[in-house]
Amino acid sequence: MNPKLVSIYRYAIERDREDVTLREAVNATGYSEKQIKRDVNVWAQSGWVEYRPGRGRGHESVIQFAPSFNQVLTTWVDTTFARITMAEAAKWLEWEWPPLLREKIQAHIWGRFGFEQTEEDRFIFPRTRALASLDPLDIHIAMEASLARHLFDRLFEWDGNVIRPSLAHHIEATRFGFRLYIRKGVLFHNGMSLSANEIVYSLNRLLRYGKQRWLFAPIERVDSPAPFIVDIYTSAHGGYIERLLAQTPASISYKGFEGTVGTGPFKLERVSEDVTRFQAFERGLRPRPSLDVVEFVTFSEADHAEWSMRDDHRLVKWVAEAGARYAVFNMRHSWLKDAPDVRRAILRTIDKTALVALGGERHQVAHGFFPEASQEVKREAEDRIDVRPIRLLHLPYATATEDANLIAQQLTFAGFTVETEVYTLSVLLEEETLRRADIILCGEMMNEDRDLAFLAFMTSELSLVGKLLGEDATLRTMMDRYHQVDLDVWPHLHREVERYVTEQAYVVPLYHVARERRFPSFLGDVPIDIYGHPRYEQLWIRPSL
């Protein structure tokens, strides 16, 4: 059985027939006559169809389905589904099934999602895209950042309120900076013991190759005078260093297996375009997870939406994101970088209230990136309309497309010429993408440490804003002040930076997001992280006895 035959069968029953011509089969599948004929011989040998070649002018070749084919196909689905993986089942949804049979397949698949208790306790979750790199130095997407917290440990952990020891159990001030004392008996996922050498390697790799160099610039160097001691050479104060070493890029991984082997509660067992599988780690620093396996299977956006809205997903949590959806002007390549008055005209034209009125996850109008401190900046009416085309890039998701279309309408009505174009997260930071953009719609979701997340957003090469505004001397001077003052002054600096990038019409915060997360009711109270994803190491299910 293959998708060609299923497509041909659907074509036939939609026309209330039991046969199709070879020409119709070609049109229904997009394959050539030669490819269809090759498969027809196999189908005929299986007794599924009868093939009658056309003889003479005006007589077309015909594929006749056996009277029992519908039952044969249904039985094949039931028996095959029992032995295939979820990744293989996900591919079935791409086939052109008859509607009733597709509903049956969906019911099969949805029934296997969530918690499955067989020889192992598994939590299976659908995703709309394959996961990108899990290397801590490359992560710039919320899902990957959330999962990295399960694969890797850091020297310290920040929960949004207090710093806690992790791989480092003690820190003391020295004349050169700080000395860290490392826990003994911690193992990597590959069975190797953690020592100071692995930590020195990970941190020096971060300082040399990391894309958040400004954020980690206060660390001058890292070395180890003894097997479980790490020395941090810095003039920064302890509060900054501890929180810095709790950030995702400072995750500790094993040399040669960066992004795959850490010491976290789960180990990476399998990763591909179709499926990513985490296995509980028995000998980690933290308690062993109750779940044995967490598995992510790639599905289409439409199928994921249908799954997430099922009746048994009655557990609903709302996550108010720290950050905002925003528009950023391309200050590297666009003609708009030399037209501040046009940028201001665009900024004044965008009606954020109308965007929020579209509903969904759009929670409130944004004037900055901290929802609780979002304040509008009044601007002088100093702008002009320019008829040169403006290329507006946006993600392919439904919400982003709606945002782009509404903003394009608003700008067009004001007299601008706007062209919309789609980009994907995997190519967002590539030079080819940036060179074709004038304005880019994106979003920033900050982690537990909102202060450092905001600094990374403004300076990191993994941030769209950091990449596009990195050459602005005034902004760089403003950012350097963070390294010179105590953390309690930072909120004031945040407001100054936000005011500057909006007054200069570099960045347009659009709206803050409150995202709905739905979970199967059998999971009970699901602990979630700042990104709205489950804390998988804390998930458990009461066994049925």
Side-chain angles (χ1 to χ4, degrees), residues 282-323:
E282 303 285 347
R283 298 167 292 176
L285 173 67
R286 291 178 261 177
R288 196 262 197 210
S290 294
L291 292 178
D292 299 313
V293 171
V294 178
E295 193 169 274
F296 304 91
V297 183
T298 306
F299 280 82
S300 71
E301 189 174 358
D303 283 311
H304 181 276
E306 185 167 342
W307 172 82
S308 64
M309 295 306 293
R310 293 174 66 224
D311 290 340
D312 65 346
H313 284 66
R314 293 188 295 271
L315 180 61
V316 178
K317 289 180 176 284
W318 283 91
V319 181
E321 295 180 4

Side-chain angles (χ1 to χ4, degrees), residues 202-320:
S202 288
L203 296 184
N204 279 330
R205 175 174 176 260
L206 166 62
L207 297 180
R208 181 175 297 179
Y209 303 112
K211 299 177 178 66
Q212 297 189 11
R213 296 177 184 176
W214 180 91
L215 197 63
F216 288 86
I219 298 180
E220 299 164 14
R221 65 186 177 95
V222 181
D223 64 23
S224 172
F228 292 95
I229 296 177
V230 173
D231 287 340
I232 306 290
Y233 288 77
T234 180
S235 58
H237 55 80
Y240 182 82
I241 293 300
E242 287 180 340
R243 286 171 64 173
L244 199 60
L245 295 179
Q247 298 297 296
T248 296
S251 298
I252 307 303
S253 57
Y254 193 77
K255 184 178 181 179
F257 296 88
E258 298 83 358
T260 59
V261 175
T263 64
F266 287 96
K267 60 182 178 180
L268 188 62
E269 186 177 80
R270 181 186 174 194
V271 60
S272 69
E273 288 289 316
D274 302 324
V275 64
T276 299
R277 180 181 169 96
F278 287 1
Q279 179 80 40
F281 185 43
E282 303 285 347
R283 298 167 292 176
L285 173 67
R286 291 178 261 177
R288 196 262 197 210
S290 294
L291 292 178
D292 299 313
V293 171
V294 178
E295 193 169 274
F296 304 91
V297 183
T298 306
F299 280 82
S300 71
E301 189 174 358
D303 283 311
H304 181 276
E306 185 167 342
W307 172 82
S308 64
M309 295 306 293
R310 293 174 66 224
D311 290 340
D312 65 346
H313 284 66
R314 293 188 295 271
L315 180 61
V316 178
K317 289 180 176 284
W318 283 91
V319 181

Side-chain angles (χ1 to χ4, degrees), residues 66-125:
S68 61
F69 182 74
N70 186 67
Q71 183 58 49
V72 168
L73 185 56
T74 302
T75 301
W76 180 84
V77 166
D78 292 338
T79 56
T80 305
F81 187 83
R83 57 181 172 78
I84 64 174
T85 66
M86 283 296 289
E88 292 170 326
K91 293 296 183 184
W92 279 10
L93 292 176
E94 299 174 6
W95 295 17
E96 294 294 326
W97 297 97
L100 291 179
L101 194 51
R102 192 179 201 279
E103 291 179 8
K104 182 182 180 70
I105 292 169
Q106 280 183 325
H108 274 312
I109 292 175
W110 299 162
R112 277 177 63 177
F113 273 124
F115 188 84
E116 182 175 77
Q117 196 170 44
T118 53
E119 71 280 358
E120 60 184 16
D121 293 345
R122 291 195 297 165
F123 186 82
I124 307 174
F125 197 79

Side-chain angles (χ1 to χ4, degrees), residues 2-37:
N2 64 26
K4 296 179 199 172
L5 182 59
V6 172
S7 296
I8 295 170
Y9 182 60
R10 173 172 177 160
Y11 181 92
I13 64 174
E14 283 180 344
R15 288 154 181 78
D16 198 25
R17 290 160 43 192
E18 294 183 354
D19 60 31
V20 298
T21 65
L22 181 59
R23 175 172 49 83
E24 289 174 326
V26 168
N27 292 335
T29 62
Y31 288 90
S32 66
E33 281 194 15
K34 183 177 180 180
Q35 290 172 310
I36 296 294
K37 286 180 178 179

